[in-house]
Amino acid sequence: MTQYLTEHDVRGIAEYARIGLSSDEVAQMTTDLNAIIDSLAPITEYNLEGVQPTFHPIGGLSNVM
């Protein structure tokens, strides 16, 4: 199930990020963010049962400084 953003959501995100958006910009940003959500939908088709999460692709790195 895909969750889409509403203009109310976008206004809240913009306020949190302290970004001033006009009403037209909010409408466009809502459209753009929902298009991004749609473009990521194929990721949900992968069967990831039993796959361990990774936190860093190289793993085991440490800051030697």
Side-chain angles (χ1 to χ4, degrees):
M1 180 175 118
T2 303
Q3 290 185 317
Y4 291 100
L5 298 172
T6 65
E7 287 190 8
H8 178 74
D9 297 328
V10 173
R11 287 182 198 280
I13 293 167
E15 183 179 332
Y16 182 76
R18 298 180 184 218
I19 299 171
L21 297 176
S22 68
S23 294
D24 291 339
E25 291 171 324
V26 168
Q28 184 61 50
M29 186 64 68
T30 303
T31 301
D32 292 344
L33 289 173
N34 284 324
I36 292 168
I37 291 170
D38 278 338
S39 72
L40 296 173
I43 293 173
T44 64
E45 296 174 9
Y46 293 109
N47 179 7
L48 299 176
E49 188 172 326
V51 176
Q52 295 295 318
T54 59
F55 298 101
H56 195 283
I58 299 174
L61 289 181
S62 63
N63 186 353
V64 296
M65 301 303 274

